Amino acid sequence: MNAAPHPSPALPSRRSLLGGLLAGAALAATPAALATPAHASARRAPTATRPLLLGTYTSAEGGGTGIGTATYDTATGTITPGPVITGVENPSYLALHPSGATVYAVAEQDAGAVTAVALAPDGTYEVLGTRPTGGSGPTHLSVHPTGRWLLSANYTSGSVAVHPIAQDGSLGERTDLVTHSSPPPGPGQNGPHAHQIVTAPDGGHVLAVDLGTDTVYTYRLDESAGTLTEVSRAALAPGSGPRHLTFHPGGRSAYLACELDNTTVVCAYDPESGTLTPGPGQSTGSGTGYPAQLVVTGDGSYAYLANRGPNGLTRYAVEDGGAALRLLDTVPAGGDWPRQLALSPDSSLLFAANQRSSTVTAFRIGSDGALTPAGEPLPAPVAVCVLPLP
């Protein structure tokens, strides 16, 4: 295998993002349900433009200057750049509050932090403040379905944090910080590296994916105190480097992108206990690569994997009610080093943030799940995150 994809000299140079937000009343709209039919012809609404938020490293050479904004045409997938939300440092990952009125960004740097930004219906914004995560190099964050807690994962220090969310969307002081002190680091790793933290569809469990320990930790969140209690952990193959977990809409299956051994892992999930049971690693459709992330269509019919080594997007058919993935094909991502994927709210379009080419590419999703390039790539400085808004 080539050198590890997570060199860690200066954090901003390890990961890179992009920039651009949108002006328009759509920014504060309440998110719609994702369970939309998978047939593109049936779900494609009349032509309209919708907003995208874009992430970058503000401290990286050639990086952005804040959270970028853009709009996309819902019929053609054409992306048009917009202004930048300034005053936000190294926003390498973004998450939207369930109300649609606030977006949160990690500050991926040595002194890790999370920032809240209020989005007004008239397209204006207000940076509500930043809170330290208690760790370094945060790479992922998510909002608990209640809208009351922000969860973040510190990659470099291998820890996960919880912050309370006030009624106006601002963040309070951290209520918990848990470091992954065991098991020992996997082959070639120097410690834990928490890469993602997400709430399961049942709402009762929080799962943290750690690339350094080859483990997925399941926690129960105390929704009064904002503290995490570990209830189980799932061991992945030594040296597999689990990076990103994506749940099937049915809530009983999940899919892991394993960065270091170039595999996709189908996992069974028990909502009652929070237990995740990984299956064997399976092909990504490429002999070499660094899988980044999977996304699943709203109706649970297809899954897509971003694979940075071959700069490809792998399409899987989801079978057996979510319990199996069948490899269908791979297509070029249209850019270099596809770091993150996102689906439009109706699952008619797929977006890829391509870090090394500093572009965002869009694809139409056919009734058979096939991907067709849509529009021209959007130039975006060190694009590593794209967030379509409802």
Side-chain angles (χ1 to χ4, degrees), residues 8 15 24 48 60 62 69 90 98 105 170 176 192 202 207 213 252 274 321 356 380-381:
S8 319
R15 298 181 178 275
T69 75
N90 293 319
S170 62
D176 204 0
D202 60 80
L207 289 87
T213 64
R252 292 188 172 273
R356 293 181 178 173

Side-chain angles (χ1 to χ4, degrees), residues 148-149 162 164 173-176 221-228:
R148 297 180 53 227
W149 305 101
V162 184
E173 291 290 344
R174 188 178 65 251
T175 54
D176 204 0
L221 174 68
D222 184 321
E223 295 182 25
S224 298
T227 54
L228 297 170

